[in-house]
Every structure is written in structure tokens, then in C-alpha cells.
Amino acid sequence: MVSTLNIRRFLFMFLTTLLLGGITILATGLAIGWGDMTGGGDQASELVAAIIWMFIVGLLFSMISQMGFFAYLLVHRLGLGVFKPKLWTWIQVLLIAFVLFDLVYFRYIAFGTELDTWTQFTTLPIILLIVGLIAAFIKAKLTNSKAFIPALFFLTVVTTVEAVPAIIQNDQNWTTMMTTTILVCNLYQLLILQRLTKPIEQKA
């Protein structure tokens, strides 16, 4: 039976992840320029309205991140139950490779022009891979080596799936803001999870 303390801890993760999503999208929007978010106006009221609107969008992106996170935890357990651990690990590795390839090749096929080269579409998958490798290494250090591939899978494949609505629009600003917000929220949830579940595991 889940204790009141553990419920409070997961509620804390939910609320802090929400807040992190709102803050991240504001910081990302500020970094790439407010642009169309303020409607091109200089009035303070327009700026405040844009900030509030973007913060709410960040909360929505955070909720997408959290739904994806708990969905992956379920899928991961099902994968371990259906397949042998080594086979499930290799399935995840193949899916990671396919998704990273997909982010380059299929985006180039769908949105590339005669003046574009496929290398122009490598930025997003490279960033996801680098961040995923670093975070997976940290996760493995915090828990155990078996957590490396699942962590890498979550930060590359699941993040990509969650950010599909922006990616298929081929809008650089929205792709950057949505992917960054979801990635930061996913990182936070991934690295804080063991702190919330450790007491449960010890009692079990």
C-alpha cells in the first residue's frame, strides 16, 4: 500500500515538473527571441499576455512529458515481461537508432529543398543523443548499469514521440521550444525518480 509520504513525494514531482516546464519554455523563448509571440508589439500588456500564454503552453508540454514518462515505465515493465531482458535491451537500441535516423532522413525527405543537404537536419538528433548519453551515464551511476539503455531510450525515443506535434510542423522556433521543454522535464523526472521510489524498494 502506498504511504501518504510517497503520495506527497510524487505530487511534489508532478508540481515541480509543471513549474519547470513553464520556466523552461519562457527561458527558451527568450533565448531564441520572442518574435511572433508578442505579435510584434512593444506594449507592456502584449508582453505580459505573451509571457502568461507561453507559461501555460509550457505547463501543457510538461503534462505531455509526464504522461509519456509514466507510459514508458509501464511499457518498460511490459517489455521485460514479454521479452528476455537482453532481447528487450537490443529492441530498445534498435528503436533508438531508427528514431535518430528518422529525425534526419525522413525530415529531409519531407521538408528538404534543393538547396538543403541532409546534414542540416542532424542538429536535433545529435543534441538528443548527446544529452541522452550524458544523462544515461549519470542515471547508471545513481542506480545501476542496467538503467543506461532504458534512460537513453526514454530521452531519445520518447522525447521525440512527445515532440512530434512541433516536429511535423517544421517550425524551428516551436520545435526548439517544445523539444527543449519536454527534454528538460524528462531529464528532471528521470533523475529524481530513484529518490522517490527508494523507500518503497527498501520496504519491499
Side-chain angles (χ1 to χ4, degrees), residues 30-41:
L30 182 62
I32 65 178
W34 292 105
D36 295 335
M37 292 181 288
T38 60

Side-chain angles (χ1 to χ4, degrees), residues 5-198:
L5 177 60
N6 290 325
I7 293 176
R8 289 177 179 176
R9 288 179 176 179
F10 280 99
L11 180 60
F12 171 80
M13 185 177 76
F14 171 75
L15 295 176
T16 51
T17 305
L18 275 180
L19 182 61
L20 183 61
I23 294 174
T24 301
I25 199 170
L26 288 177
T28 306
L30 182 62
I32 65 178
W34 292 105
D36 295 335
M37 292 181 288
T38 60
D42 298 326
Q43 295 183 7
S45 60
E46 293 181 349
L47 180 60
V48 171
I51 291 174
I52 294 174
W53 179 66
M54 288 303 300
F55 186 80
I56 294 173
V57 172
L59 299 183
L60 294 176
F61 288 171
S62 171
M63 294 182 69
I64 293 174
S65 166
Q66 295 188 65
M67 288 189 291
F69 179 62
F70 287 103
Y72 173 67
L73 293 179
L74 176 61
V75 170
H76 181 60
R77 287 299 177 185
L78 290 175
L80 290 173
V82 174
F83 306 102
K84 293 182 179 180
K86 288 186 178 180
L87 177 58
W88 176 236
T89 297
W90 279 109
I91 290 174
Q92 291 181 94
V93 171
L94 291 175
L95 287 175
I96 291 170
F98 174 77
V99 168
L100 293 177
F101 173 79
D102 186 13
L103 281 174
V104 178
Y105 180 74
F106 288 105
R107 285 172 66 224
Y108 172 65
I109 294 298
F111 307 117
T113 65
E114 295 180 354
L115 301 177
D116 295 327
T117 62
W118 65 269
T119 56
Q120 295 175 255
F121 294 85
T122 60
T123 303
L124 179 58
I126 288 175
I127 292 175
L128 286 176
L129 180 60
I130 292 175
V131 173
L133 287 171
I134 294 173
F137 177 79
I138 296 173
K139 182 68 175 181
K141 285 291 185 180
L142 293 174
T143 55
N144 59 74
S145 59
K146 294 181 180 179
F148 184 88
I149 295 300
L152 181 61
F153 179 90
F154 175 65
L155 292 174
T156 53
V157 176
V158 178
T159 297
T160 300
V161 172
E162 292 170 341
V164 160
I167 293 175
I168 62 177
Q169 294 300 318
N170 197 35
D171 185 299
Q172 185 174 356
N173 286 344
W174 276 109
T175 299
T176 300
M177 287 189 292
M178 187 174 190
T179 305
T180 301
T181 302
I182 289 177
L183 181 60
V184 170
C185 290
N186 284 346
L187 273 169
Y188 173 72
Q189 293 176 98
L190 179 71
L191 297 179
I192 200 177
L193 180 64
Q194 70 273 2
R195 296 185 181 181
L196 304 177
T197 58
K198 188 175 181 180

